[in-house]
Amino acid sequence: MSFDVPDDNRYRESHEWVSTEPPHRVGITEFAQDELGDVVFVELPDVGDTVAAGEEFGVVESIKAVSDLYAPVSGEVTAVNDDLFDAPELVNDDPFGDGWMLEVEPSDDGFDALLSPEEYRDQTA
Amino acid sequence: MALRKPPLREVHADRGAKFTEFGGWDMPVEFDSIRAEHEAVRGAAGVFDVSHMGEIAVVGPDATALTQRLTTNDVTRLDPGESQYSALTREDGVMLDDTVVYRLPADRPAGVIGGERSVGAPGGSDAGGASDAPADDAYLFVPNAGHDEGTHERWVAHRDEWDLDAEVRNVTDDWAMFAIQGPDAPGLVDAAADGDVLGLDRFAASFLDVAGVECWVARTGYTGEDGFELLCPWGDAETVWAAFADDCQPCGLGARDTLRIEEGFLLSGQDFHPDEEPHTPYEADIGFVVALDTEFVGRDALADQDAAGVDERFVGLELLDRGVPRHGYDVTDHDGHVVGSVTSGTMSPSLDKPIALGYLPTDLTDPGTHVSVVVRGQDKRAKVVQPPFN
């Protein structure tokens, strides 16, 4: 089974994605949501909080597992996907679309440190 | 140590199942999605491979006496073809495991417990064999995953200590076990079987052909729904599984867990454990399996506790705030004191609410009592409920 890995994102080994064009959205990959199974809860920072690349920014819970979320880039949170609080299953249904988690204003250009789509595909192949 | 594999490990892998280690077994945890599987069982039917469950057979002139003294319930209440929920306790009344004890019929198939001794033949290997001797009593009981070897040793050691005449066999690797559960399960099993499936009452069982394979068909389960558990010879597992897997949702241990938590059913090793979570049947709120008018290991301690009352009791918790309670999370009272912990918890797929099970001091066990569950350092408000959750 092969998972969707859109070309307009960068990826962390821990299965978060960030879009390379503004607004820089952050979420988890299709591979990650499949591993987790039915997502039932997300815990996210507030607008105005800052996140640091490689640091925990929240938690995603499925029925069977709890998983920390790691920020792919550093920056300020400019938007949070409130829809996930009532409909966490959006993370399963559309992980790169309606299941996005944050929008971040990057404080530096940390994208180059992340995996390219090709590299992430290789990791999850 | 290598994981034990159910007979259809590769069949399930080909079907796309994800696997997990449970009780030393490599078992399917999820075939499609826990939620989809859970909802299928509540609304229609699902089939589970539960071949990780142990099977111990006890047969012989003293099979009844031996089983009576090692389980808390009263096996003399069982007629052939009946079963009962029961517990295994230490001398101090603490539960080692819970189980279902089936009394096998006299006309069971030869070799059914794994040996050559033909059933219905004269009882007692050293009795000189009067041909009109009654058939030996025979029981099959189902320890939880990973408990089969220790339980077998326990039976053998006590048999020898008490000088009883009974053959005790661990037949776990002879039997596959499937559960077909849900409102549509009776129809599905009836269609696949020859014989009177629908005439079996709750906790009744019979040897019947299912898809041409002689199975022990029991109207038991662990989901709160109507349904059956089938024991079939290990080598015939694929034939029996195929009779159901195309017609209803294959389900993994993930859905088995969410279904049983909604019902408040105990999970051995998690909701109780002789070392890590030591509790008696009364504390675990299954006092109905304790027959104090019988003699069994742990009986005196339990009689004392029955007279004195319990200090803590197993209850349900429904969270009023967002969050998912998990095994090991603290439960606190309104002063913030830790008063217990979550032994099992999940987001209930049926109710779409976070629910938990655990032990609380008896003065906090009235339904509606407010406590908190500590989730990653945050207090989540919760109220006590008496399972099943609905």
Side-chain angles (χ1 to χ4, degrees):
Chain A
M1 183 163 176
S2 91
F3 295 100
D4 193 22
V5 180
D7 284 329
D8 46 0
N9 298 324
R10 287 278 182 161
Y11 298 88
R12 272 185 54 84
E13 288 177 8
S14 54
H15 309 290
E16 294 84 3
W17 56 268
V18 57
S19 52
T20 50
E21 297 298 323
H24 298 287
R25 285 189 166 174
V26 172
I28 66 169
T29 64
E30 187 182 16
F31 174 88
Q33 67 78 26
D34 184 72
E35 286 290 302
L36 283 167
D38 308 274
V39 172
V40 293
F41 180 77
V42 292
E43 195 170 281
L44 299 173
D46 295 322
V47 171
D49 289 353
T50 58
V51 297
E55 301 290 316
E56 291 170 24
F57 73 81
V59 171
V60 57
E61 296 200 41
S62 66
I63 291 174
K64 67 186 179 195
V66 185
S67 188
D68 291 326
L69 297 164
Y70 295 93
V73 294
S74 300
E76 181 179 332
V77 177
T78 54
V80 171
N81 187 359
D82 294 333
D83 292 343
L84 299 185
F85 299 132
D86 288 327
E89 64 274 14
L90 290 171
V91 175
N92 294 117
D93 297 342
D94 193 8
F96 297 112
D98 292 341
W100 66 280
M101 293 175 173
L102 308 176
E103 287 179 8
V104 174
E105 182 62 43
S107 54
D108 57 34
D109 189 7
F111 289 85
D112 289 344
L114 297 170
L115 299 177
S116 68
E118 294 74 28
E119 289 167 330
Y120 183 70
R121 271 184 213 111
D122 288 345
Q123 180 192 316
T124 54
Chain B
M1 197 177 83
L3 290 180
R4 299 163 79 178
K5 289 186 174 154
L8 302 184
R9 168 68 177 71
E10 300 316 315
V11 172
H12 300 328
D14 289 344
R15 171 64 177 71
K18 291 186 168 73
F19 289 80
T20 191
E21 185 276 332
F22 186 81
W25 290 74
D26 192 26
M27 296 301 295
V29 65
E30 186 176 13
F31 283 86
D32 293 300
S33 108
I34 292 173
R35 184 181 293 277
E37 294 163 26
H38 180 109
E39 288 171 352
V41 172
R42 290 280 182 251
V47 58
F48 301 76
D49 186 342
V50 289
S51 298
H52 60 317
M53 300 297 285
E55 289 89 22
I56 307 287
V58 188
V59 63
D62 295 328
T64 299
L66 180 59
T67 306
Q68 184 78 323
R69 290 170 69 170
L70 289 172
T71 59
T72 59
N73 214 332
D74 183 359
V75 296
T76 67
R77 291 181 200 157
L78 294 176
D79 287 328
E82 293 181 343
S83 69
Q84 64 188 189
Y85 184 45
S86 195
L88 284 56
T89 47
R90 301 189 302 212
E91 282 292 354
D92 63 358
V94 164
M95 281 192 290
L96 299 165
D97 201 5
D98 61 352
T99 193
V100 171
V101 178
Y102 299 96
R103 185 167 171 199
L104 296 173
D107 61 347
R108 63 193 177 274
V112 69
I113 66 162
E116 294 92 46
R117 178 187 238 170
S118 113
V119 180
S125 51
D126 55 355
S131 61
D132 59 350
D136 290 339
D137 288 345
Y139 299 87
L140 188 75
F141 68 96
V142 182
N144 282 278
H147 287 253
D148 56 314
E149 289 168 8
T151 305
H152 176 255
E153 287 168 15
R154 182 176 171 80
W155 252 250
V156 168
H158 280 96
R159 176 196 64 189
D160 295 346
E161 178 188 338
W162 296 329
D163 198 22
L164 296 175
D165 181 6
E167 183 181 8
V168 182
R169 284 177 178 255
N170 181 358
V171 292
T172 301
D173 292 338
D174 294 344
W175 295 95
M177 185 169 177
F178 303 131
I180 299 95
Q181 301 280 301
D184 293 349
L188 287 165
V189 177
D190 186 49
D194 293 332
D196 189 12
V197 167
L198 300 180
L200 291 173
D201 293 331
R202 192 88 184 122
F203 279 95
S206 182
F207 281 104
L208 298 172
D209 282 353
V210 178
V213 175
E214 189 161 48
C215 295
W216 179 241
V217 178
R219 201 159 198 164
T220 48
Y222 192 47
T223 62
E225 299 296 331
D226 198 353
F228 294 83
E229 291 175 306
L230 310 184
L231 290 165
C232 77
W234 190 270
D236 295 318
E238 191 161 3
T239 301
V240 176
W241 176 261
F244 300 101
D246 291 338
D247 297 328
C248 67
Q249 172 71 51
C251 300
L253 295 189
R256 183 170 160 87
D257 198 46
T258 55
L259 289 158
R260 68 97 191 167
I261 292 173
E262 287 182 352
E263 298 301 314
F265 294 157
L266 299 161
L267 175 59
S268 178
Q270 181 166 315
D271 295 309
F272 65 90
H273 181 288
D275 304 319
E276 294 159 20
E277 197 69 57
H279 295 288
T280 69
Y282 291 122
E283 292 161 3
D285 207 22
I286 56 166
F288 63 91
V289 306
V290 181
L292 288 176
D293 55 348
T294 68
E295 285 298 327
F296 60 88
V297 174
R299 186 254 168 216
D300 292 348
L302 290 175
D304 289 346
Q305 190 179 48
D306 182 49
V310 294
D311 296 329
E312 58 181 353
R313 191 166 60 78
F314 194 64
V315 294
L317 297 172
E318 182 182 312
L319 267 64
L320 307 173
D321 293 325
R322 293 193 325 117
V324 185
R326 306 274 183 186
H327 177 79
Y329 287 6
D330 284 340
V331 180
T332 57
D333 63 13
H334 59 272
D335 294 326
H337 297 120
V338 175
V339 290
S341 70
V342 170
T343 54
S344 292
T346 191
M347 183 69 77
S348 159
S350 298
L351 306 174
D352 224 15
K353 290 177 186 167
I355 60 172
L357 302 170
Y359 298 83
L360 287 179
T362 44
D363 62 344
L364 293 175
T365 54
D366 287 340
T369 302
H370 280 246
V371 292
S372 293
V373 175
V374 184
V375 178
R376 289 184 291 278
Q378 295 181 327
D379 284 355
K380 307 286 187 182
R381 292 174 303 139
K383 68 173 183 187
V384 173
V385 300
Q386 181 65 36
F389 294 90
N390 48 40

